[in-house]
Amino acid sequence: MAFETLAVSEDTGRKSLADVAYESIRDRLLMLDIKPGELLNDDALAKALGVGRTPIREALKRLELDRLVVTYPRRGTFATRVDVTDLSYISEIRAQLEPLAAARAARVASEAVRAHLQDVLDEVQAFDVQAASVVETLQLDARVHQGMYAAAGNPHLEDILIRYDNLATRIWCMVMDRLPDLSLHVHEHVNLLRAIIDGDEDKAADLARVHVSGFEHAVREALFSA
């Protein structure tokens, strides 16, 4: 996933340059295009994205809060390492909060939000995992989870879950080529989304919990069977 120089467009104009830089660098960190432990050079990033150094620095500050980069005085800013021991910590938090978000979304989502989730559900059902790239698969996974988080209608919960889902994504990228059947993970989203759309709080919470624990189990199997 290569950087592209930012073009001035109506869509880009809705966001600050720092926001666009943040999203671009974040995506490269999540997909491990920027390797764990790699030094991030302000000048190189600014040139690659076609922005000044100030938006880059603002983006890196946000990414440090997300635990995706770390800055050391006089040394620079580095992509955080992907430590597998963090998997249990991340999963412990997600196992508590993802069911909460799913149940809340089932309870409070408006008809318009449920219609949007139905569109996402249709996309999941039509998705061809075998033909899709890693990036396309992860982008679909993000649309499902972020759609659910937004549907829960709690911006603080949404912010926390996006942060931990991003950290989980980096771990997933490490083992994705060793996972035996990604289609199962992807299509687990169908029943979860349907439960939210139908307003079934208990079922949505249970399915979200199973989905998180299944992710952790699959990653552990891939890591320790290699």
Side-chain angles (χ1 to χ4, degrees), residues 108-143:
V108 308
S110 67
E111 288 306 311
V113 169
R114 292 179 201 273
H116 169 70
L117 292 179
Q118 181 63 54
D119 290 340
V120 177
L121 190 158
D122 293 342
E123 186 180 357
V124 173
Q125 289 182 309
F127 192 73
D128 186 346
V129 178
Q130 303 304 321
S133 68
V134 169
V135 171
E136 289 168 336
T137 302
L138 291 174
Q139 286 174 338
L140 176 67
D141 187 80
R143 283 196 291 278

Side-chain angles (χ1 to χ4, degrees), residues 21-32:
Y22 166 80
E23 292 173 5
S24 299
I25 300 168
R26 179 202 61 200
D27 289 349
R28 290 201 68 193
L29 289 162
L30 295 185
M31 303 301 167
L32 306 185

Side-chain angles (χ1 to χ4, degrees), residues 92-207:
E92 182 178 28
I93 294 168
R94 294 181 72 219
Q96 296 297 316
L97 297 185
E98 294 259 351
L100 174 65
R104 183 175 169 80
R107 183 171 70 253
V108 308
S110 67
E111 288 306 311
V113 169
R114 292 179 201 273
H116 169 70
L117 292 179
Q118 181 63 54
D119 290 340
V120 177
L121 190 158
D122 293 342
E123 186 180 357
V124 173
Q125 289 182 309
F127 192 73
D128 186 346
V129 178
Q130 303 304 321
S133 68
V134 169
V135 171
E136 289 168 336
T137 302
L138 291 174
Q139 286 174 338
L140 176 67
D141 187 80
R143 283 196 291 278
V144 172
H145 284 271
Q146 291 179 20
M148 179 180 75
Y149 305 156
N154 182 329
H156 301 287
L157 179 61
E158 180 181 4
D159 182 62
I160 292 168
L161 279 169
I162 288 174
R163 184 172 299 177
Y164 283 99
D165 187 58
N166 285 343
L167 294 174
T169 296
R170 294 185 83 211
I171 296 174
W172 193 16
C173 280
M174 286 181 60
V175 300
M176 205 164 182
D177 60 340
R178 287 174 263 167
L179 294 175
D181 188 6
L182 276 177
S183 61
L184 178 63
H185 176 86
V186 170
H187 289 289
E188 279 181 1
H189 293 129
V190 170
N191 290 333
L192 172 58
L193 289 169
R194 185 168 288 129
I196 294 172
I197 294 165
D198 292 344
D200 191 333
E201 293 181 49
D202 291 339
K203 185 174 182 180
D206 287 342
L207 290 171

Side-chain angles (χ1 to χ4, degrees), residues 3 7 11 15 34-35 43 46-47 64-65 88 90 101 120 127 150 157 173 213:
F3 274 132
D11 186 58
K15 300 177 181 179
I34 298 175
K35 305 298 182 188
D43 290 332
K47 183 177 179 180
E64 187 159 25
L65 291 174
S88 60
I90 294 168
V120 177
F127 192 73
L157 179 61
C173 280
S213 63

